[in-house]
Amino acid sequence: MKNTSKVIAALLFVSVFNAYAVDLVSGDNSNLTAMCIAAATSDEHVDAKAKEFGFSSQELESFTCNGMTLKEFAKEYRDDTSGTPVVVYTFEETVSSRETQLCIAAAKSNEEYEKVKKDLFNGNVDSVACNGLSLERFAKRYGNRGFKI
């Protein structure tokens, strides 16, 4: 039986209204996607939204936007002038399990995946599925296009 982790993938759709900036529009109106949008705006906006939604600094460190921390996401998308639409995913660890940690790590980066695979699974992840998807398919769908098992 495959282990399935419960990871919430909240979609944000990004629309470009002009060539000068990316306009982030929430596709699901969740608090997590609002935090991603705030991160792309300013540190002050992040602080205000965190206070509004009751997120602690520790909680902010625990979820990602497109496989990046809030700080990495902010660096990537704040003042973005590329004009390229971006789909953004946020992850919230709703079940604290090693499978959930592996799925999120796989979506983040190959390096994070390898570390969690070694530390928590002794290298054997054959029976792990993520939200009903194979580990590879999940990772590639939710941010890590270059994922390798």
Side-chain angles (χ1 to χ4, degrees), residues 12 24 31-43 45-51 53 55-78 88-91 108:
L12 280 175
L24 303 172
N31 294 349
L32 296 176
T33 55
M35 291 305 302
C36 292
I37 292 171
T41 306
S42 70
D43 291 338
H45 202 145
V46 169
D47 294 340
K49 285 293 180 186
K51 185 176 181 177
F53 298 136
F55 285 123
S56 69
S57 357
Q58 289 177 329
E59 288 172 314
L60 294 179
E61 297 289 327
S62 71
F63 70 89
T64 62
C65 306
N66 269 20
M68 294 177 266
T69 66
L70 282 177
K71 288 179 184 180
E72 292 168 334
F73 186 81
K75 184 177 180 183
E76 181 76 20
Y77 293 105
R78 201 174 284 174
V88 180
Y89 300 95
T90 60
F91 297 97
K108 283 183 176 182

Side-chain angles (χ1 to χ4, degrees), residues 85-106:
V86 177
V87 177
V88 180
Y89 300 95
T90 60
F91 297 97
E92 179 182 24
E93 190 174 330
T94 58
V95 174
S96 185
S97 70
R98 66 188 193 139
E99 289 82 8
T100 301
Q101 291 176 29
L102 185 71
C103 292
I104 291 173

Side-chain angles (χ1 to χ4, degrees), residues 115-127:
K115 181 181 182 321
V116 172
K117 177 180 165 183
K118 179 182 173 198
D119 293 348
L120 300 180
F121 290 86
N122 295 324
N124 182 10
V125 295
D126 294 336
S127 64

